[in-house]
Amino acid sequence: MNLLKAKKYWELSASFLRNHWRAVVVLGAMAICYFYGKNVQKKLKLDHDMAKAQWRKERDQIENSYQNEIQKREKSRKAYEVAIKMAEEKKAKSITDLEKKKAEDTKKLIKASKNNPEKLDQILKDLGIEEV
């Protein structure tokens, strides 16, 4: 009995598919596109999230670099001001023309190395100033 029912439904299904095969193919293609599109959408979302995280990381690095540069320049400016003040004091205290000339030369060197923190640090060490 069950075999006859199965045969009946098989013949009905086969008849339906022969008459409406185009609709079945279109529905199958739509289902394939739908599920493939879901996978592509997941991959695109993952790519977008990764790009966003990378952008945030780069933004933080740029901001940190900028802040570090500002701190370096501020430190250099303070060292410059202290060195100029010391050179002027040394010039004012110097007794001979040779000492005045040396103090003036030191002041010129400090002004010349205003934008070069490493060179300014070396000049300050030569003058006996270790840290500002």
Side-chain angles (χ1 to χ4, degrees), residues 7 9 16 21-22 26 31 35 42-43 53 57 76 86-87 92 94 96 100 113 116-117 127 132:
K7 186 177 179 184
Y9 287 119
F16 178 81
W21 68 271
R22 288 184 185 102
V26 168
F35 289 115
K42 286 178 186 177
K43 289 177 185 173
K57 200 187 285 184
S76 177
M86 286 190 63
S94 64
T96 65
K100 286 183 183 181
S113 64
N116 189 349
L127 290 175
V132 177

Side-chain angles (χ1 to χ4, degrees), residues 16-17 20-33:
F16 178 81
L17 289 175
H20 302 290
W21 68 271
R22 288 184 185 102
V24 172
V25 169
V26 168
L27 284 175
M30 288 174 56
I32 290 171
C33 289

Side-chain angles (χ1 to χ4, degrees), residues 10-111:
W10 177 257
E11 288 179 6
L12 285 175
S13 299
S15 174
F16 178 81
L17 289 175
R18 276 193 301 267
N19 291 320
H20 302 290
W21 68 271
R22 288 184 185 102
V24 172
V25 169
V26 168
L27 284 175
M30 288 174 56
I32 290 171
C33 289
Y34 175 76
F35 289 115
Y36 178 73
K38 281 184 104 175
N39 289 339
V40 169
Q41 181 184 9
K42 286 178 186 177
K43 289 177 185 173
L44 288 175
K45 185 175 182 341
L46 179 64
D47 288 346
H48 174 72
D49 292 341
M50 288 173 51
K52 193 173 183 180
Q54 181 65 26
W55 174 77
R56 284 186 179 144
K57 200 187 285 184
E58 287 177 7
R59 184 187 67 188
D60 291 342
Q61 287 176 347
I62 290 170
E63 287 176 358
N64 289 339
S65 168
Y66 181 73
Q67 290 299 323
N68 290 340
E69 184 65 27
I70 288 174
Q71 290 173 354
K72 271 174 121 177
R73 288 184 183 201
E74 185 64 26
K75 184 178 177 182
S76 177
R77 185 188 60 80
K78 286 179 181 178
Y80 171 77
E81 289 174 358
V82 168
I84 290 293
K85 186 176 180 181
M86 286 190 63
E88 288 175 355
E89 288 175 1
K90 195 172 187 180
K91 181 181 174 186
K93 289 180 183 178
S94 64
I95 299 171
T96 65
D97 290 334
L98 184 60
E99 288 177 348
K100 286 183 183 181
K101 179 147 178 61
K102 185 177 177 186
E104 190 64 34
D105 289 342
T106 304
K107 188 175 177 180
K108 285 180 185 177
L109 278 174
I110 292 170
K111 282 186 179 182

